Amino acid sequence: MSICSLVVRRSPESRHSASHDEPCQRHGETTMRLVPLTLLLLLTATTASAAPTPVQFTLDPDHTYPSFEADHMGLSIWRGKFDRSTGTATLDTVGKTGTIDVTVDIASIDFGNPALNKVMLGATAPMCQTQCGMFFAEKYPTAHYRGRLTDFVDGAPTKAVGTLTMRGVTQPLTLTIDRFKCVPDFMLKPRQRCGADALGTFERDAFGLDGGKSFGMDMKVTLRIQVEAVQDK
């Protein structure tokens, strides 16, 4: 069946009148050129309108707390968190891409132990003649994580692949995203609020945080991040 015949048969009257075939035959070549051109224009317009645009988010500092677990003399696991962090994110669920950029205020560290907080921020520890391998927060006041959201499943990322910078040292760090969900923010509708729970491990001495290494302390640190972000206006 010719394209010309298909065009004519779209008209209800054409099913009962042969006279419509004549102009189709006379202008068949023109019609065959116009129909593919029209379809091409429609396809182009549809594709352009469906092109995904990454959504921009800002981290909610009141609902974002990077926390960590580290060995203490092989006897127990010490846990702490950072109370202040800022950052941004992008998310494209159609294109299965996204980014995350987080800056942590090192001085906001909290072990629930004020004396240990001071030691970790760079104060002289009792067992050291000089400062041990701690954060040196005055010189290096922030830690910075920057990564790409990857391995999407059902529209949600399951990994963040990026780098962590602390004490002037940058090392690769991949986070596993165990939980990720976006919903309309009940106070800011129709803007979205997304939340995630991420997990990763690293060797702290790779960043110069080698306090206690000479005593046999395990350098492995488990980093856990609970994070929420709100869609920008």
Side-chain angles (χ1 to χ4, degrees), residues 58-69 80-87 100 102-104 175-181 193-200 222-229:
T58 297
L59 266 63
D60 180 350
D62 293 328
H63 293 84
T64 300
Y65 292 101
S67 62
F68 51 88
E69 302 172 356
K81 62 186 177 68
F82 294 96
D83 292 332
R84 293 189 297 273
S85 55
T86 58
I100 182 73
V102 184
T103 298
V104 177
L175 302 176
T176 299
I177 302 175
D178 294 325
R179 181 175 179 176
F180 186 96
K181 185 177 182 179
R193 174 181 288 268
C194 294
D197 189 70
L199 171 71
T222 299
L223 177 65
R224 298 180 183 273
I225 305 175
Q226 66 178 65
V227 57
E228 291 186 20

Side-chain angles (χ1 to χ4, degrees), residues 13-62:
E13 294 81 7
S14 65
R15 298 191 183 98
H16 307 289
S17 174
S19 61
H20 289 279
D21 292 338
E22 295 178 1
C24 185
Q25 292 171 359
R26 287 196 303 269
H27 303 290
E29 184 178 350
T30 301
T31 303
M32 292 182 70
R33 287 199 305 267
L34 289 175
V35 171
L37 178 60
T38 302
L39 292 175
L40 178 61
L41 291 174
L42 287 173
L43 179 61
T44 302
T46 302
T47 302
S49 63
T53 300
V55 180
Q56 306 286 329
F57 291 85
T58 297
L59 266 63
D60 180 350
D62 293 328

Side-chain angles (χ1 to χ4, degrees), residues 84-145:
R84 293 189 297 273
S85 55
T86 58
T88 59
T90 65
L91 179 65
D92 179 356
T93 56
V94 177
K96 298 181 180 180
T97 61
T99 61
I100 182 73
D101 193 306
V102 184
T103 298
V104 177
D105 181 359
I106 295 297
S108 70
I109 195 170
D110 183 11
F111 279 95
N113 183 325
L116 182 56
N117 292 346
K118 291 181 180 180
V119 170
M120 290 303 299
L121 290 176
T124 302
M127 72 287 291
C128 303
Q129 295 293 326
T130 59
Q131 288 180 323
C132 294
M134 305 304 179
F135 280 108
F136 300 158
E138 290 186 4
K139 184 175 182 180
Y140 306 105
T142 63
H144 184 204
Y145 182 79

Side-chain angles (χ1 to χ4, degrees), residues 164 166 169 171-173 200-210 213 217-223:
L164 175 64
M166 288 194 301
V169 178
Q171 294 284 338
L173 178 61
T201 61
F202 62 89
E203 300 293 322
R204 62 183 175 89
D205 57 334
F207 297 92
L209 294 167
D210 58 358
K213 185 175 182 179
M217 290 178 64
D218 189 347
M219 295 292 100
K220 180 180 178 180
V221 172
T222 299
L223 177 65

